[in-house]
Amino acid sequence: MTIHYSDRRKINPGLRPDGTPDDDDRVEIGPTPLAFAEWAAAGLEAPNLPVMRGARLQRLTEHLAARDYGAILLFDPLNIRYATDSTNMQLWNAHNPFRACLVTAGGHVIVWDFKGLGNLLTAHNPLIAETRPGSSSFFYFCNGDRTQARASAFAAEVDAELRRHCGTNRRLAIDKIMVHGLRAFEALGIEVMEGEEVTEKARSIKTPEEIKAMRCAVHACEASVRAMEDAVAPGMTEDDVWAVLHAENIRRGGEWIETRLLASGPRTNPWFQECGPRVLKEGDILAFDTDLVGCYGMCTDMSRTWIVGDAEPTREQVETYRMSVRHIEENTAMLAPGVAFRDLCHGGHPLPDAFVPQRYASKMHGVGLCDEWPAIPYPEDWEPGVFEYETAPGMMLCAEVYAGRVGGSFGVKLENQVLITETGHEVMTRYPWDTRLMGG
């Protein structure tokens, strides 16, 4: 049964620029006054969240109908965010799957949430038909040796909804599920389909309101990066610098940062060393990847490399940096509607041989609520049949590069976020390249 939450919010409050109630006591998270003021000063239009939510649900149901799936069951908190625009302890939820969401092809939405919450965190979205207590929690931490029984009870509950809303269609897509859960659904004769393919394809094309949301999120991220760059000085630790980005993201209503990818000096080579207590020195290379989940849950995935202090870069640093900028810009120039992923992989600027052994994991990748489908590899990593698709308007891709020689003393990391438009592309991240590393 649905548990109703009785709230005390103001009746018919005014609306904020994104169509949400202008009510400081709301439970719905969102941008702060600082973010709204910065966007207004920059001439950016906030998204209309009710419209964005409806368009996302429509895309998801269209993908279900196209595959003749009766419904999709979501456990991944980012997929639940896409379907419902509701959140609940996202990072904890990512490794403790206490939430679930069922979306039928006809658009009926049920959320199972944390016990005792009722619809506290979902009442803002009228597209959610009902919210139930968290019987979907069949992970071992909560259920111990009764996990199998809990999974069977939840599967039976979902099965009843499939019969009620989907008729004889027993094809249920699921994005991520634990072992007992999968076995419980299959024991009921439900045909379990691959749900990640559905959500990744649905999420890959951004709706007009999502594009507005991303522009706002990028602006907030770049303002936070500017504060971080202004703070950088010899004598700070890497963690000191990274903490500025976190704080500025939260000040604007951002949500979290997925990694700790900031490194300095020799720790920039090889890449993927996470930030720590190393003290910055004059003339150090400092490189980072934001992986920042900001306002509206939108991810700004941007990388930049700077010189610390007032020192002039070496010739090798300038040459490596210029090559990296050229790599990003020439590869970005390929982006337009209808370009085969295969051509993106094999075309564009070739990475010099010296940097191939430590090349980045992808040449380009999708982005939205996080890193998303597709992943465009470098030619050395291409496998036929994995990504035989092409670009389309509304896709967002990140073009990136890591350039570091094996055994070298530094590396350069750069990345831009790009929107595929009807006629070409738009570079969404506009944070400037480092002028000194460009040799100017």
Side-chain angles (χ1 to χ4, degrees):
M1 61 179 291
T2 302
I3 298 176
H4 297 284
Y5 168 70
S6 177
D7 66 38
R8 296 171 293 175
R9 290 174 287 180
K10 292 181 287 186
I11 298 174
N12 296 322
L15 297 180
R16 298 187 182 191
D18 57 12
T20 59
D22 186 11
D23 179 2
D24 282 342
D25 296 330
R26 63 181 182 174
V27 297
E28 181 182 8
I29 63 175
T32 62
L34 172 62
F36 281 124
E38 290 176 339
W39 299 339
L44 290 175
E45 182 182 354
N48 183 306
L49 291 189
V51 173
M52 185 179 81
R53 292 161 183 158
R56 281 176 167 174
L57 181 59
Q58 181 177 346
R59 279 194 58 79
L60 193 54
T61 57
E62 287 173 350
H63 277 260
L64 292 174
R67 292 161 178 76
D68 192 28
Y69 295 168
I72 187 167
L73 182 62
L74 306 172
F75 292 95
D76 186 319
L78 296 179
N79 284 333
I80 296 174
R81 177 68 177 271
Y82 184 82
T84 69
D85 202 30
S86 67
T87 66
N88 190 351
M89 300 182 285
Q90 295 288 78
L91 293 181
W92 198 79
N93 190 189
H95 62 93
N96 294 291
F98 66 88
R99 278 188 122 201
C101 174
L102 181 72
V103 179
T104 70
H108 189 80
V109 181
I110 303 172
V111 172
W112 286 264
D113 219 325
F114 207 69
K115 295 177 181 178
L117 279 179
N119 66 348
L120 170 66
L121 301 181
T122 56
H124 66 273
N125 189 348
L127 299 174
I128 301 171
E130 53 183 310
T131 304
R132 301 180 180 182
S135 56
S136 63
S137 302
F138 47 82
F139 54 101
Y140 191 81
F141 166 62
C142 283
N143 298 292
D145 294 337
R146 293 286 295 165
T147 300
Q148 181 176 350
R150 295 285 177 84
S152 296
F154 177 67
E157 189 176 350
V158 172
D159 185 40
E161 297 305 321
L162 293 179
R163 295 179 186 279
R164 182 175 296 117
H165 297 286
C166 306
T168 59
N169 191 328
R170 308 284 288 160
R171 291 157 59 85
L172 174 67
I174 305 180
D175 62 350
K176 293 180 173 70
I177 191 166
M178 305 188 84
V179 172
H180 285 304
L182 177 62
R183 290 173 178 166
F185 280 106
E186 291 179 336
L188 293 173
I190 293 172
E191 187 177 2
V192 177
M193 312 304 294
E194 174 54 67
E196 271 197 308
E197 185 269 339
V198 178
T199 57
E200 291 287 339
K201 299 282 181 60
R203 286 165 54 174
S204 68
I205 304 296
K206 275 56 185 181
T207 67
E209 298 306 313
E210 284 184 286
I211 294 170
K212 292 177 186 177
M214 183 63 84
R215 288 199 179 101
C216 290
V218 167
H219 188 277
C221 176
E222 292 189 330
S224 301
V225 169
R226 172 57 65 192
M228 182 170 69
E229 184 173 16
D230 290 344
V232 170
M236 297 177 71
T237 66
E238 293 172 352
D239 285 336
D240 288 334
V241 176
W242 198 234
V244 175
L245 184 63
H246 278 264
E248 295 295 325
N249 179 41
I250 298 300
R251 286 184 68 216
R252 291 168 172 81
E255 300 183 17
W256 77 86
I257 299 177
E258 293 209 282
T259 64
R260 292 171 55 89
L261 292 177
L262 178 146
S264 63
R267 297 187 73 248
T268 60
N269 189 335
W271 189 240
F272 287 116
Q273 299 187 63
E274 297 191 306
C275 68
R278 183 181 185 274
V279 177
L280 305 186
K281 299 176 178 61
E282 185 78 20
D284 272 348
I285 285 281
L286 175 70
F288 64 91
D289 189 338
T290 57
D291 288 323
L292 185 150
V293 178
C295 300
Y296 304 116
M298 304 301 281
C299 177
T300 301
D301 195 8
M302 175 183 78
S303 298
R304 291 294 184 266
T305 299
W306 302 326
I307 281 282
V308 175
D310 299 321
E312 290 300 316
T314 66
R315 180 176 179 180
E316 183 184 7
Q317 288 171 338
V318 170
E319 290 176 349
T320 303
Y321 192 89
R322 283 178 170 174
M323 183 283 300
S324 300
V325 170
R326 182 181 176 189
H327 191 75
I328 292 288
E329 293 182 344
E330 290 191 13
N331 290 342
T332 298
M334 292 190 290
L335 294 175
V339 180
F341 294 172
R342 176 187 291 266
D343 292 339
L344 293 178
C345 168
H346 295 282
H349 182 266
L351 196 64
D353 291 343
F355 302 117
V356 169
Q358 295 192 152
R359 64 189 175 277
Y360 197 69
S362 62
K363 186 177 181 180
M364 299 180 187
H365 65 79
V367 67
L369 293 174
C370 60
D371 288 2
E372 297 177 353
W373 181 87
I376 308 297
Y378 278 96
E380 294 81 3
D381 305 313
W382 177 262
E383 294 183 52
V386 177
F387 291 110
E388 302 290 354
Y389 301 89
E390 63 182 35
T391 58
M395 279 187 174
M396 290 183 189
L397 294 171
C398 290
E400 58 188 316
V401 64
Y402 172 73
R405 301 173 187 273
V406 174
S409 60
F410 73 95
V412 170
K413 179 69 170 66
L414 299 177
E415 179 179 17
N416 268 343
Q417 198 158 307
V418 185
L419 170 68
I420 306 294
T421 66
E422 294 288 344
T423 58
H425 67 265
E426 171 194 336
V427 178
M428 304 191 79
T429 46
R430 300 180 181 181
Y431 202 87
W433 304 127
D434 187 289
T435 55
R436 285 184 294 163
L437 283 168
M438 287 295 288

